[in-house]
């Protein structure tokens, strides 16, 4: 009776977790680790015994090696009492994930869980789309009241700033900064949408699966987070390739991955970081030339849209470039040049966005070569970057590495050296081996998990820090969803 009661209580926690974790990742992404740790605590409290829990020796060795090496790297090479909470948080999240992954066994209606995930995903995307489209500022209002500097006020029950007061007094902030506040949330949803889609397909909920795909594409296009959008589209392109053309050979995949790990510092860091302002000036010149070319070929391109030449940067513009391009394409007889102009424009825009990344990577390469064996120590990227400044085209001094290198493999090289890279490669190889074991049961669902791995890996090469707790939590939640799918596959075998 107690066992049944425990399982029922735990299932309630489990359902609440999957219902709330996606909206939390949107509205408070930095707190995504909290529901994961709460679920782990509930798992421990409702588990009757641990005698039947066993771990493969290989995984125990890998886990022990990871903890030992990262601890030594931090304490011997980059110890700072102010940042020790980051190391502790990382270990807590890791253990929380392992607890849920290993001990979650109650018989449950996974179809109902999948419906919960779909509802959670749709609600989360609607929050983003409505807030961003109508410039409501809801996320900024929450951030303002729940900011770390306001915690003392929060716990002393000081009255929050009302939404109406915030909206009326911070219009400029809403206009200029609202889009940036959803970067993490939109990325989290794009990563979690793939396993949710896979679960819908497994339970033969095709209409629901289409809804997941549709709302994700609409959300990504509305918000226009380039990294999230491109990684999601490439992920589904890869899925169709794996399912309908040919599944990659495991050995080929592992070799390609190893090559990238080895050459990435040299391949990605091929610029001169001291010439950052020159690179930006050249791109600005190309933009001006392209705008003149468009005006010469289509004089009404901007004026017909009540626009002017100064609004072509797509920043703070009520009529973005692609809207003008669509209108011109519809009205013009010669449509091919418009397509080429649009392609050139967005190619330049992408180059402009990525040029700072490439300069960061070039500086990171130099620092990697200074200590390639052991690196500079866990969490050292920010401190290394603060020691050297680069100058942009506005003569503004910037840290050579702001927060982290914005590339997971370069960050591993920089902080943990070749030993850390080898360790991560082994862990990743074991994940790939597991996926190819699933392929023997069902290649379609193995393709889904390989696609998710590719998507997460691709995002990690352009965006977030390797050790950021919210990002690590999202990856673990993604794996937990696939664990549900794998359990059902094994039951159906």
């Amino acid at each position: 009776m107690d066992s049944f009661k425990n399982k029922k209580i735990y299932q309630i926690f489990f359902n609440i977790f999957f219902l709330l974790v996606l909206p939390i990742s949107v509205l408070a992404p930095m707190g995504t680790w909290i529901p994961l740790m709460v679920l782990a605590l509930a798992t421990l409290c409702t588990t009757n015994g641990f005698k039947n829990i066993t771990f493969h020796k290989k995984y125990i060795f890998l886990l022990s090696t990871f903890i030992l090496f990262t601890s030594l790297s931090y304490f011997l090479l980059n110890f700072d009492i102010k940042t020790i909470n980051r190391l502790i948080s990382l270990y807590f999240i890791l253990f929380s994930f392992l607890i849920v992954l290993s001990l979650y066994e109650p018989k449950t209606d996974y179809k109902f869980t999948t419906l919960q995930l779909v509802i959670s995903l749709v609600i989360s995307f609607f929050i983003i789309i409505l807030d961003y489209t109508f410039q409501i500022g809801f996320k900024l209002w929450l951030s303002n009241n729940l900011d770390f500097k306001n915690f003392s006020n929060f716990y002393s029950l000081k009255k929050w700033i009302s939404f109406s007061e915030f909206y009326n007094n911070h219009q400029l902030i809403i206009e200029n900064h609202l889009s940036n506040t959803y970067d993490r949330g939109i990325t989290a949803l794009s990563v979690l949408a793939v396993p949710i889609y896979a679960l819908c397909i497994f339970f033969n909920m095709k209409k629901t699966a289409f809804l997941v795909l549709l709302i994700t594409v609409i959300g990504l296009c509305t918000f226009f987070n380039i990294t999230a959008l491109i990684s999601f589209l490439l992920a589904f392109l890869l899925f169709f390739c794996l399912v309908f053309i040919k599944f990659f050979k495991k050995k080929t995949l592992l070799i390609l991955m190893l090559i990238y790990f080895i050459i990435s510092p040299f391949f990605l860091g091929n610029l001169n970081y001291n010439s950052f302002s020159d690179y930006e000036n050249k791109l600005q010149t190309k933009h001006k030339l392209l705008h003149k070319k468009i005006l010469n070929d289509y004089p009404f391109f901007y004026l017909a849209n009540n626009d002017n030449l100064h609004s072509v940067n797509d920043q703070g513009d009520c009529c973005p470039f692609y809207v003008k391009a669509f209108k011109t394409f519809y009205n013009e007889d010669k449509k091919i040049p418009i397509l080429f102009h649009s392609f050139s424009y967005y190619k330049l825009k992408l180059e402009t966005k990525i040029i700072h990344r490439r300069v960061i990577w070039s500086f990171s390469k130099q620092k990697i070569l200074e200590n390639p064996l052991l690196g500079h120590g866990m969490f050292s990227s920010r401190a290394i970057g603060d020691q050297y400044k680069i100058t942009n085209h506005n003569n503004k001094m910037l840290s050579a590495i702001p927060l982290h290198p914005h590339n997971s493999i370069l960050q591993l090289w920089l902080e943990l050296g070749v030993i850390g890279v080898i360790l991560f490669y082994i862990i990743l190889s074991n994940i790939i081996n597991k996926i190819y074991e699933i392929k023997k049961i069902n290649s379609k669902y193995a393709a889904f998990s390989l696609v998710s791995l590719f998507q997460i890996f691709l995002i990690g090469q352009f965006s977030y820090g390797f050790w950021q707790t919210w990002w690590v939590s999202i990856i673990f939640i993604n794996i937990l969803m696939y664990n549900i799918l794998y359990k059902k596959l094994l039951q159906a075998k």
Side-chain angles (χ1 to χ4, degrees):
M1 185 68 181
D2 289 338
S3 175
F4 175 77
K5 188 178 179 181
N6 285 343
K7 286 185 178 181
K8 193 172 181 180
I9 293 170
Y10 178 70
Q11 192 56 49
I12 292 171
F13 272 105
F14 192 78
N15 291 338
I16 292 172
F17 168 78
F18 275 124
L19 195 60
L20 295 181
V21 71
L22 273 74
I24 287 174
S25 70
V26 167
L27 295 174
M30 302 304 288
T32 310
W33 59 274
I34 297 174
L36 183 61
M37 291 188 68
V38 170
L39 184 63
L41 184 62
T43 305
L44 283 174
C45 292
T46 55
T47 299
N48 294 323
F50 307 96
K51 293 179 181 179
N52 297 326
I53 303 300
T54 58
F55 289 98
H56 196 287
K57 290 181 180 179
K58 178 174 64 176
Y59 298 121
I60 295 175
F61 175 76
L62 279 174
L63 180 63
S64 304
T65 305
F66 170 78
I67 293 172
L68 179 63
F69 180 66
T70 51
S71 321
L72 288 174
S73 174
Y74 176 77
F75 286 106
L76 297 180
L77 298 175
N78 188 46
F79 177 72
D80 183 355
I81 194 67
K82 294 178 182 178
T83 60
I84 196 169
N85 64 305
R86 295 178 63 191
L87 188 68
I88 295 170
S89 298
L90 182 65
Y91 292 157
F92 266 111
I93 293 168
L94 176 60
F95 283 118
S96 297
F97 164 69
L98 291 174
I99 287 168
V100 178
L101 188 69
S102 306
L103 300 182
Y104 175 62
E105 283 296 340
K107 304 286 183 184
T108 185
D109 185 357
Y110 287 118
K111 188 172 183 178
F112 178 72
T113 302
T114 302
L115 285 171
Q116 281 187 302
L117 287 168
V118 173
I119 293 168
S120 184
L121 182 78
V122 171
I123 290 172
S124 301
F125 267 120
F126 267 119
I127 290 171
I128 294 177
I129 293 169
L130 292 174
D131 196 15
Y132 182 65
T133 302
F134 297 102
Q135 295 287 290
I136 298 170
F138 181 68
K139 173 71 163 60
L140 286 170
W141 170 67
L142 280 178
S143 299
N144 183 272
N145 282 302
L146 293 173
D147 191 85
F148 282 111
K149 65 186 178 185
N150 295 332
F151 268 15
S152 59
N153 296 336
F154 178 77
Y155 287 117
S156 63
L157 301 180
K158 183 176 179 178
K159 190 176 181 180
W160 278 19
I161 297 172
S162 69
F163 177 74
S164 58
E165 181 185 350
F166 179 84
Y167 182 79
N168 293 328
N169 296 335
H170 297 85
Q171 276 297 308
L172 194 61
I173 293 175
I174 293 171
E175 288 175 12
N176 294 331
H177 299 289
L178 181 60
S179 60
N180 295 333
T181 63
Y182 282 115
D183 266 341
R184 292 186 180 94
I186 202 76
T187 302
L189 294 184
S190 70
V191 165
L192 298 178
V194 179
I196 294 173
Y197 181 87
L199 284 165
C200 289
I201 294 295
F202 179 83
F203 289 110
N204 201 30
M205 298 188 295
K206 293 180 181 179
K207 290 182 180 178
T208 310
F210 178 75
L211 174 64
V212 169
L213 180 61
L214 181 65
I215 192 68
T216 303
V217 172
I218 291 173
L220 290 171
C221 291
T222 301
F223 189 73
F224 211 67
N225 180 323
I226 292 178
T227 304
L229 177 62
I230 292 177
S231 65
F232 184 81
L233 294 177
L234 287 177
F236 264 87
L237 186 64
L238 176 62
F239 175 79
F240 284 110
C241 175
L242 294 173
V243 173
F244 298 108
I245 301 176
K246 191 177 181 181
F247 212 97
F248 296 146
K249 290 184 178 180
K250 183 172 70 173
K251 187 179 289 186
T252 303
L253 183 60
L254 291 173
I255 291 171
L256 289 173
M257 192 171 69
L258 180 61
I259 292 171
Y260 175 75
F261 277 35
I262 294 170
I263 70 168
S264 56
F266 308 99
F267 173 70
L268 297 174
N270 61 349
L271 295 184
N272 180 359
Y273 56 86
N274 288 311
S275 301
F276 180 36
S277 58
D278 294 336
Y279 297 137
E280 286 193 314
N281 287 330
K282 287 178 182 177
L283 287 171
Q284 278 197 336
T285 301
K286 287 182 180 180
H287 267 289
K288 289 176 182 178
L289 290 173
L290 178 61
H291 296 154
K292 287 180 180 179
K293 175 69 175 170
I294 294 173
L295 281 172
N296 182 62
D297 293 348
Y298 303 96
F300 64 89
F301 186 85
Y302 300 109
L303 299 176
N305 293 282
N306 298 317
D307 217 334
N308 57 65
L309 188 59
H310 299 291
S311 65
V312 294
N313 289 329
D314 252 13
Q315 295 176 5
D317 184 7
C318 62
C319 188
F321 183 91
Y322 67 86
V323 175
K324 307 182 191 83
F326 274 127
K327 288 181 179 179
T328 307
F329 183 84
Y330 179 77
N331 293 318
E332 273 292 314
D333 293 329
K334 296 180 180 179
K335 301 184 184 298
I336 299 299
I338 286 291
L339 292 176
F340 279 113
H341 286 327
S342 300
F343 175 78
S344 299
Y345 176 84
Y346 280 105
K347 180 175 176 289
L348 276 173
K349 187 174 181 180
L350 184 61
E351 286 181 34
T352 304
K353 283 183 74 72
I354 205 173
I355 190 64
H356 191 196
R357 294 279 196 275
R358 295 182 65 191
V359 168
I360 294 168
W361 296 340
S362 67
F363 179 79
S364 299
K365 181 191 76 172
Q366 177 182 307
K367 289 299 176 181
I368 287 167
L369 294 176
E370 289 178 8
N371 194 2
L373 183 62
L374 295 175
H376 295 267
M378 190 85 163
F379 307 128
S380 61
S381 295
R382 185 172 187 173
I384 292 170
D386 286 341
Q387 293 169 8
Y388 189 89
K389 303 295 180 183
I390 55 176
T391 308
N392 69 2
H393 69 287
N394 291 323
N395 238 9
K396 185 178 179 181
M397 304 294 286
L398 306 171
S399 295
I401 301 177
L403 301 179
H404 49 78
H406 294 81
N407 181 284
S408 57
I409 303 303
L410 291 187
Q411 187 174 354
L412 279 172
W413 271 105
L414 182 64
E415 297 183 2
L416 301 179
V418 68
I419 296 176
V421 172
I422 291 171
L423 182 59
F424 179 66
Y425 178 79
I426 293 170
I427 293 171
L428 208 54
S429 299
N430 277 278
I431 294 173
I432 291 172
N433 286 333
K434 180 65 176 178
I435 290 172
Y436 276 80
E437 286 177 16
I438 296 298
K439 179 178 175 288
K440 296 174 184 177
I441 302 172
N442 190 302
S443 60
K444 181 170 67 175
Y445 296 110
F448 273 119
S449 48
L450 191 60
V451 157
S452 276
L453 179 63
F454 166 79
Q455 185 187 13
I456 291 167
F457 187 80
L458 187 62
I459 291 170
Q461 303 318 295
F462 292 96
S463 294
Y464 309 107
F466 196 87
W467 313 116
Q468 287 183 303
T469 53
W470 78 271
W471 180 232
V472 173
S473 299
I474 291 298
I475 294 170
F476 286 163
I477 292 164
N478 178 283
I479 296 172
L480 289 176
M481 290 183 187
Y482 278 112
N483 189 49
I484 292 174
L485 181 60
Y486 290 171
K487 284 178 185 291
K488 296 303 294 181
L489 281 171
L490 291 171
Q491 287 174 12
K493 185 182 176 183

